[in-house]
Amino acid sequence: SDVCSSDLAHLAGTGDRMAGVAVPAGLAASHQVVQARERRLLLRHADGMRGHVGDQVSACGGAVLVVDFRLLGIGLVDQPTAGLERAARPWLSGSLAIMIGTGLVLFLSEAVKCYYSFAFWVKMAALLTVIVFTYTVRRRVAVAAGSSGRMRLVGLISIGLWSLVGWGGRWIGFS
C-alpha cells in the first residue's frame, strides 16, 4: 500500500525515526521517502524565493505599466514613448529572467499538479504570447510612435495579456 505523501515528508526529515519509532531500513531508503525528502527541500527553497519573486513582479509590472500607460496617453505624456520603452526594457528583461528562473523551481516542486492544471496552461500560453507581443509588436509601436489609436490598442492588449498571466498564476493556487 502507498504511504501518504505528508507521512513521507515527515519520515524524510527524521532519518531513521518517525515520532520516536524506528523506521525499517528498507523504508527509510525507499524511492518514495527519497522523493519526499527532495520535494520538501525544493519546496523550502521555493517558499523562500516568494519574497524575491514579489520584488520582481513589482519591477516587471512597473516596467510594463509605465510604457503601456504612456501608449494609452495616461501618464508621462511629455516623455517620448521610445525613450520610456528603452529605459524600461532592462528592468523588464531582468525581472522576467529572474521570474522565469524562480518559476521553473516552483514548477518543479509541483510538476504533476501543474501538468494537469488548466490554469497553469492558460498562464503559460498567455506568458509566451505576451513575451512575444511585448518584444515585437509593442516595442515596434512604442519606437515608431504612430497613430494614437494604434498605440492605445497595443497598450490595452498588453495590459490585458499581462493581466491574464497574473490571473492564471493566482488561479493555479486555487486549483
Side-chain angles (χ1 to χ4, degrees), residues 61 63-82 84-85 133 138 141-142 145-163:
V64 166
L65 289 175
V66 72
V67 176
D68 287 348
F69 284 164
R70 175 61 185 92
L71 289 170
L72 291 170
I74 294 175
L76 300 173
V77 292
D78 57 331
Q79 299 293 318
T81 311
L84 283 175
E85 193 279 331
F133 181 83
R138 179 177 168 262
V141 168
S147 74
S148 63
R150 184 175 176 182
M151 289 173 63
R152 288 174 203 254
L153 178 62
V154 167
L156 283 173
I157 291 171
S158 178
I159 289 173
L161 287 170
W162 282 108
S163 296

Side-chain angles (χ1 to χ4, degrees), residues 107 113-115 117-125 168 172 175:
F107 167 77
K113 176 187 172 191
C114 290
Y115 181 80
S117 169
F118 179 71
F120 172 77
W121 292 110
V122 167
K123 178 180 179 168
M124 292 301 105
I172 291 169
S175 59

Side-chain angles (χ1 to χ4, degrees), residues 78-142:
D78 57 331
Q79 299 293 318
T81 311
L84 283 175
E85 193 279 331
R86 195 172 26 262
R89 191 178 324 134
W91 290 97
L92 176 62
S93 298
S95 60
L96 260 178
I98 292 169
M99 285 192 301
I100 289 170
T102 56
L104 182 60
V105 173
L106 289 170
F107 167 77
L108 290 174
S109 72
E110 296 186 321
V112 174
K113 176 187 172 191
C114 290
Y115 181 80
Y116 291 106
S117 169
F118 179 71
F120 172 77
W121 292 110
V122 167
K123 178 180 179 168
M124 292 301 105
L127 183 61
L128 178 62
T129 303
V130 78
I131 287 172
V132 170
F133 181 83
T134 298
Y135 285 97
T136 58
V137 175
R138 179 177 168 262
R139 184 176 178 185
R140 273 186 257 142
V141 168

